[in-house]
Amino acid sequence: MLTRIEHRGPDDTGEIRRGNVWLGHQRLSIMDVEGGHQPLTDAGATTYLVANGEIYNHRHIREDLGHALFETGSDSEAALHALIVDGPAGLARLRGMFALAFTTQDGDFLAARDPLGVKPLYWVRRDDVTLFASELRAFDVEDRPLVETFPPGHCWSPAGGLVRFADTVPAHVRPARRAEEPGVWERSLVKSVREAIVTAVENRMMSDVGVGVFLSGGLDSAIVAAVAAEYAAEHRQPLPTFAVGSPGSADLAAARRVAEYLDAKHHNIEHHEVVMSRQDAVDALPRAVRAIEHYDPSLVRSAVPNLLLAEYAVRHVHAVLTGEGADELFAGYAYYHREPFTDPDALQAELVRTVGELHHLNLQRCDRASMAFGLEAREPFLDRDVIELALSIPPEHKMIGPGIEEKKLLREAFEGWLPDEILHRGKEQFGDGSGAKEVLEEAVRSSPDVAAAEGVELRNREEAGFYAIWRQELDGIRPDRTLGLFATT
């Protein structure tokens, strides 16, 4: 199982067996490259932990628990000691993206996944054994019909079973009040949005091996790049940015404009472009479907350029920031502004729903396409504080109208940070702006018709083609148990 996900952590391999518990880990070395080998253990070698992801508040946890407990600079060690000190309640201390497994010398065991499901986790429950892994491909063929998605915000132990420790969207988060006039808000709200996003980006800049930005040229990734560039300049660091698109594509041109603007301002941008030919996209298609372990057309279209970008970017950095999540929080997609979501309550409910489904969709694509090459993607807009603030904003403030463009509040929060033509650039899907959509639709027109295969409902010929590739790679997997089909609108 560990060998099948070696690509997720090509830097190191570690494993231990204690009693009837076995832990294995493929490491991508980002924090404490020399000392962060996993499984991590305490000074007495009585507890062990493997973790995938990042604990962004690990320094605060060190302060709270006492630096004397810690033996490495690894952020994952904060999770180890939080669980030692507080047991499962220690999960509430963790701010970040993670899937982890923890065991003691006596055979106690706990597995857990972050509240949003940014980091993947799957499991198989048999009478004689319970298995966990970060990707579907890790499981043996005979176990694949039993594979399920491990739910975000939950932990599991043999003694306590499956327990929710955090909601994806906390129950207390509700819009503060009805907006009296759409598109008009207090300056304090603009300031709060900007400060929350700036803090989230800065927290995700932690690394001992450098961080870059995936820069699509759209508003969301441009905001992330602008904040990251300022942080990097303050710390006298370069900021690599990476863009992908077909020759002459809108995304490449817009990303180049952002990079030039930020470099003129901070003198620290190292911009890279991956020019994707039609043949590049066609050749990458089966690799992309296999990598993301999904066949949804919108995900596959964006996964192809994403995969090519990750393959290039990993030569320069081990981690990148992305703009994922902003559209779900600030109503960036066109369908949010059509019936029935022109009603504020319906819009709010749909935003909450789509944030909760991200782990099945864009987050799965984002994680797999990058980790296929041992590159970690980080999503500042999906910071817990940003989510809570964004979903507490009256939904009327996210609705469009005469003179009110989508995500107006977000655009206003970052006036002066970006060129005006980028700040007010309209929404374009990544797979469309990069030039991949038409190429990939054409590439699968001659695929075998498997629309009735195994009773799986497929929506069009394009999806049938992607499904044929997916099924060839992941024979035995039940998509209804692992993909949350179908959550897109």
Side-chain angles (χ1 to χ4, degrees):
M1 290 178 71
L2 200 59
T3 300
R4 292 180 197 133
I5 58 169
E6 185 178 5
H7 54 274
R8 295 187 66 88
D11 297 331
D12 189 19
T13 301
E15 59 180 279
I16 60 103
R17 179 162 187 165
R18 294 295 181 270
N20 64 349
V21 175
W22 180 90
L23 300 181
H25 186 261
Q26 288 295 145
R27 186 176 182 222
L28 177 60
S29 302
I30 294 178
M31 298 296 294
D32 193 355
V33 174
E34 297 300 323
H37 173 80
Q38 295 196 33
L40 290 161
T41 188
D42 62 332
T46 59
T47 56
Y48 303 87
L49 176 134
V50 290
N52 170 216
E54 300 290 340
I55 309 301
Y56 296 122
N57 66 333
H58 73 103
R59 293 186 181 89
H60 294 103
I61 295 174
R62 289 169 188 267
E63 293 288 342
D64 288 345
L65 299 183
H67 288 278
L69 291 176
F70 290 79
E71 299 188 340
T72 78
S74 169
D75 57 289
S76 296
E77 193 179 0
L80 172 71
H81 292 293
L83 291 169
I84 292 172
V85 171
D86 294 333
L91 294 169
R93 291 182 181 266
L94 308 182
R95 293 291 190 100
M97 54 179 190
F98 58 84
L100 59 82
F102 170 89
T103 192
T104 68
Q105 190 74 22
D106 298 330
D108 291 337
F109 177 84
L110 182 78
R113 188 180 183 192
D114 69 74
L116 199 61
V118 178
K119 280 299 172 186
L121 189 62
Y122 298 95
W123 62 335
V124 164
R125 289 175 282 183
R126 296 196 328 230
D127 291 340
D128 59 331
V129 66
T130 304
L131 306 169
F132 298 85
S134 294
E135 295 189 4
L136 296 169
R137 74 188 69 252
F139 296 95
D140 292 339
V141 172
E142 60 267 29
D143 288 320
R144 288 182 176 179
L146 301 176
V147 177
E148 298 177 277
T149 298
F150 190 87
H154 285 69
C155 61
W156 179 87
S157 66
L162 188 64
V163 176
R164 179 185 291 277
F165 69 87
D167 292 320
T168 300
V169 178
H172 69 272
V173 176
R174 296 286 186 276
R177 55 183 172 77
R178 285 281 189 181
E180 295 181 5
E181 186 177 353
V184 178
W185 37 71
E186 306 253 349
R187 293 303 304 172
S188 60
L189 177 58
V190 177
K191 182 173 182 285
S192 295
V193 169
R194 181 172 56 251
E195 290 178 348
I197 293 168
V198 168
T199 299
V201 172
E202 291 178 345
N203 286 342
R204 282 155 181 78
M205 291 294 287
M206 71 177 197
S207 172
D208 291 337
V209 290
V211 176
V213 176
F214 274 0
L215 183 56
S216 72
L219 175 68
D220 310 328
S221 66
I223 287 173
V224 170
V227 178
E230 184 159 298
Y231 177 92
E234 290 173 357
H235 291 78
R236 300 187 176 184
Q237 299 169 353
L239 182 70
T241 56
F242 304 93
V244 62
S246 57
S249 67
D251 278 2
L252 276 184
R256 190 180 308 129
R257 176 72 180 104
V258 173
E260 290 169 350
Y261 180 89
L262 295 178
D263 194 52
K265 189 175 182 180
H266 300 295
H267 310 290
N268 66 344
I269 302 299
E270 298 175 353
H271 188 57
H272 304 262
E273 293 183 354
V274 175
V275 180
M276 176 183 65
S277 70
R278 178 176 292 267
Q279 193 60 49
D280 291 335
V282 171
D283 291 346
L285 171 59
R287 292 197 296 143
V289 174
R290 294 181 190 115
I292 68 172
E293 300 188 323
H294 215 304
Y295 54 85
D296 177 84
S298 63
L299 297 187
V300 175
R301 287 187 213 123
S302 55
V304 166
N306 201 162
L307 193 79
L308 294 172
L309 194 59
E311 188 173 24
Y312 176 88
V314 77
R315 305 173 198 166
H316 301 272
V317 294
H318 274 49
V320 290
L321 308 188
T322 80
E324 304 292 342
D327 287 316
E328 289 79 5
L329 293 173
F330 294 94
Y333 295 126
Y335 89 89
Y336 286 136
H337 306 292
R338 298 193 292 261
E339 292 289 349
F341 307 119
T342 51
D343 173 74
D345 291 336
L347 175 60
Q348 177 71 11
E350 180 64 2
L351 295 177
V352 170
R353 185 193 74 81
T354 50
V355 169
E357 291 293 335
L358 274 171
H359 70 282
H360 283 308
L361 296 165
N362 283 344
L363 287 176
Q364 179 163 332
R365 183 261 307 156
C366 186
D367 173 85
R368 301 293 209 291
S370 56
M371 291 298 282
F373 303 101
L375 179 71
E376 181 176 86
R378 301 174 177 179
E379 300 84 6
F381 282 105
L382 296 177
D383 179 89
R384 188 188 306 178
D385 290 340
V386 175
I387 291 174
E388 292 189 11
L389 173 62
L391 293 179
S392 70
I393 295 169
E396 294 91 338
H397 285 337
K398 301 173 186 178
M399 301 172 78
I400 63 173
I404 304 174
E405 58 196 334
E406 93 280 352
K407 296 194 285 193
K408 181 186 176 186
L409 175 58
L410 187 58
R411 298 175 196 274
E412 189 174 323
F414 287 91
E415 284 183 352
W417 290 66
L418 293 166
D420 284 348
E421 66 267 31
I422 299 298
L423 197 65
H424 299 286
R425 186 186 180 206
K427 174 67 181 174
E428 194 166 12
Q429 295 281 16
F430 182 40
D432 299 347
S434 66
K437 182 176 186 292
E438 296 79 8
V439 174
L440 300 181
E441 285 179 344
E442 182 179 330
V444 295
R445 276 180 190 148
S446 60
S447 296
D449 187 358
V450 291
E454 305 163 7
V456 177
E457 182 182 348
L458 300 169
R459 294 167 290 184
N460 51 48
R461 186 73 179 196
E462 183 187 19
E463 186 165 75
F466 298 156
Y467 178 82
I469 299 170
W470 182 88
R471 172 52 67 208
Q472 184 178 19
E473 177 72 8
L474 292 167
D475 185 42
I477 294 292
R478 288 179 51 185
D480 59 310
R481 296 164 68 100
T482 58
L483 302 184
L485 300 176
F486 283 105
T488 51
T489 300

